[in-house]
Amino acid sequence: MPFTALHPTAGRLDATQPDLGCAMDWAQIHKSGPRVLLTCPECSWGVHAKISRYGVRFFCHDPGRPPSCELSNESWGHHMLKLELAGAIRAAGWYAELEVPAEDGSWRADVMASSPDGTERMAWEAQLSPITVEDIRARTARYRAEKIAVCWVSPHKKPPQWMGAVPGVRVRAPEADGPWMVDDGVAGFNYTAGGWTFREAELQRFVRWALHGQLLPCRSLPRYRRVTRVVEDRYWVSLRDLWWTSRQSVRSQNEHEEMRQRQEKAKQAREKQQEAEAERRRKEQEEADRLRRAEEAALRREEQEKRNRIRMEEMRQRQTEEETRRAREQAEQEERDRQALEAAKAWWGRLSRQQVEELFAAVAALAWREEQLRVEIPENPSLAAHFAYGVPVYSQGRYHALYGIVRPCPALVSLSPQLSYHRAFVRNAQEIREFGETPAGRITHLDLPDHEQLTMD
């Protein structure tokens, strides 16, 4: 649900402005005929002007929009917060434009505030979806690179992880007709207490203060980042690196830190004199301890070297045993593979080339006769070791699937358990009997003779 659209001649339209930002009346695009061809500035899909049941003007995507369009996927709460921010900016005397993209597409501001003289810009981002601290810092840096200030705004009850990492506030929607309130992200420095204190303010007032420089982002010095807050009679402790605050609070924090450092230096001077005498005694004790530790370290090194030698010897022995075992297993596997290959060659060597061609032709004829299925007859049959050195035959057409295994080797069936899930074909009943009492899978014999059939010319 974007608030902006691209007009074929007028350019960018903003539904939140009375004249759409280009001296155009809403009636010219809303339910007018013929329809004006408007497009979404984010995904370039077609949009049309609409008015919600609450009287809010916006642009709606035409059917079939791209699901990845960020403007279309924004929630109603996101849109309402953008409208509230835009209203506050305009109330402060600045210009507000919604959904403003960068020229290179590296960012798109929810609401872009521009000073009346056009020399200053500030992006206001309604951040409802989760985002990592690293990502929001990177997005803030992109704005900073173009000399654009930014304030991130969250309406969630729980402070987001990025609160205090970048210039941002948390706002609270009104329960009735009251104003939106900023209840987190703004603070004042209490010089007497020596720390920051949370401050609340109306959102519209906060926006005016931020735009006019009365509030600015301020880094908390390390000592003052821990802040306590009472919420519903419970104490909550927050760690904040960044606040929106006044220039006076910035000065108060710096002055308090300077005062604290002066006190710390005076304390260190007093302690230095006390430590001078203790330093001599410490050095004597340290020397005695050093000699004792040196003796103990020498004993430990000797014991450790002995243990290391024993461990190295055990590791070499285990490595030798492991290499011997692997070599033996590899030799045994190679011998099994060799024997299997010899068995398969002997099994297929019993057939002439004519008998092989006859067998595959019979398989193809059976597939067509039983299932009206055409199968691929390989010109050079390739034996598959995992199918007991049978030849896999695949169906032709749209669905390329395994039809069956032609003439697996009986002696290798026990080594190919996956063969039991597929249909197998052999020449005749005599070859089936060679599989023994536990044939693998479904074996079909094609009733072919053991001898080569003669043809009549």
Side-chain angles (χ1 to χ4, degrees), residues 63-267:
R65 66 169 178 82
S68 60
C69 179
E70 294 184 5
L71 289 178
S72 181
N73 293 331
E74 290 179 348
S75 65
W76 177 260
H78 195 151
H79 293 303
M80 293 301 97
L81 182 53
K82 289 198 298 185
L83 287 180
E84 191 67 27
L85 291 170
I89 293 168
R90 290 165 184 158
W94 283 42
Y95 298 108
E97 293 182 273
L98 278 73
E99 302 157 3
V100 178
E103 294 182 1
D104 59 358
S106 60
W107 50 262
R108 177 175 57 80
D110 285 338
V111 186
M112 180 63 75
S114 302
S115 62
D117 59 4
T119 59
E120 298 180 65
R121 288 193 299 171
M122 184 172 182
W124 293 81
E125 292 285 358
Q127 189 62 39
L128 280 74
S129 59
I131 186 173
T132 65
V133 174
E134 292 75 13
D135 287 344
I136 202 169
R137 281 175 171 165
R139 292 175 61 180
T140 302
R142 287 198 290 267
Y143 281 120
R144 189 183 302 115
E146 299 191 32
K147 298 181 179 180
I148 299 175
V150 63
C151 182
W152 300 87
V153 183
S154 170
H156 297 307
K157 185 175 181 180
K158 182 178 179 181
Q161 292 183 347
W162 48 262
M163 181 65 70
V166 294
V169 294
R170 187 183 65 188
V171 297
R172 184 177 67 245
E175 296 182 357
D177 295 331
W180 283 68
M181 296 295 296
V182 175
D183 64 0
D184 196 348
V186 179
F189 191 85
N190 188 325
Y191 186 91
T192 304
W196 291 98
T197 303
F198 283 90
R199 297 282 191 267
E200 289 194 3
E202 294 183 8
L203 176 60
Q204 190 172 98
R205 182 175 298 178
F206 165 76
V207 171
R208 183 175 71 252
W209 288 342
L211 292 177
H212 292 281
Q214 295 171 281
L215 292 181
L216 66 159
C218 171
R219 290 282 176 192
S220 294
L221 297 177
R223 184 179 179 85
Y224 310 107
R225 289 173 182 169
R226 188 181 181 91
V227 185
T228 303
R229 187 179 193 183
V230 179
V231 180
E232 297 178 355
D233 297 329
R234 296 183 63 185
Y235 283 87
W236 297 86
V237 178
S238 302
L239 296 177
R240 296 297 170 80
D241 291 338
L242 193 66
W243 297 99
W244 284 95
T245 190
S246 65
R247 299 180 186 276
Q248 177 59 45
S249 289
V250 175
R251 289 192 296 270
S252 295
Q253 178 184 227
N254 294 335
E255 291 170 359
H256 191 276
E257 178 64 13
E258 292 174 359
M259 179 271 293
R260 189 194 63 80
Q261 290 182 6
R262 287 194 301 270
Q263 293 178 344
E264 187 68 24
K265 290 179 180 179
K267 179 182 177 182

Side-chain angles (χ1 to χ4, degrees), residues 331-347 389 409 411-412 415:
E332 292 173 354
Q333 183 62 42
E334 291 176 354
E335 177 61 20
R336 287 194 295 269
D337 294 344
R338 185 190 65 78
Q339 292 177 1
L341 184 58
E342 289 182 357
K345 289 181 178 179
W347 169 248
Y389 284 90
C409 181
L412 306 178
L415 302 179

Side-chain angles (χ1 to χ4, degrees), residues 294-357:
E295 293 177 359
E296 294 174 351
L299 291 175
R300 287 196 298 271
R301 283 197 300 272
E302 184 178 351
E303 293 175 358
Q304 184 63 40
E305 289 173 358
K306 182 178 179 180
R307 289 194 294 269
N308 289 343
R309 286 194 297 269
I310 294 174
R311 281 199 295 268
M312 290 298 296
E313 183 61 29
E314 291 174 350
M315 289 175 59
R316 283 194 292 269
Q317 183 177 355
R318 286 196 297 269
Q319 184 176 3
T320 301
E321 293 174 354
E322 180 67 16
E323 291 175 353
T324 302
R325 183 187 63 79
R326 291 180 180 175
R328 183 177 64 254
E329 291 178 353
Q330 182 178 358
E332 292 173 354
Q333 183 62 42
E334 291 176 354
E335 177 61 20
R336 287 194 295 269
D337 294 344
R338 185 190 65 78
Q339 292 177 1
L341 184 58
E342 289 182 357
K345 289 181 178 179
W347 169 248
W348 282 93
R350 291 161 50 178
L351 302 183
S352 66
R353 182 175 182 81
Q354 181 180 355
Q355 288 176 311
V356 172
E357 294 175 352

Side-chain angles (χ1 to χ4, degrees), residues 49-66:
K50 290 191 69 175
I51 300 177
S52 75
R53 58 180 178 176
Y54 303 106
V56 178
R57 305 191 309 186
F58 66 98
F59 297 101
C60 181
H61 281 75
D62 295 337
R65 66 169 178 82

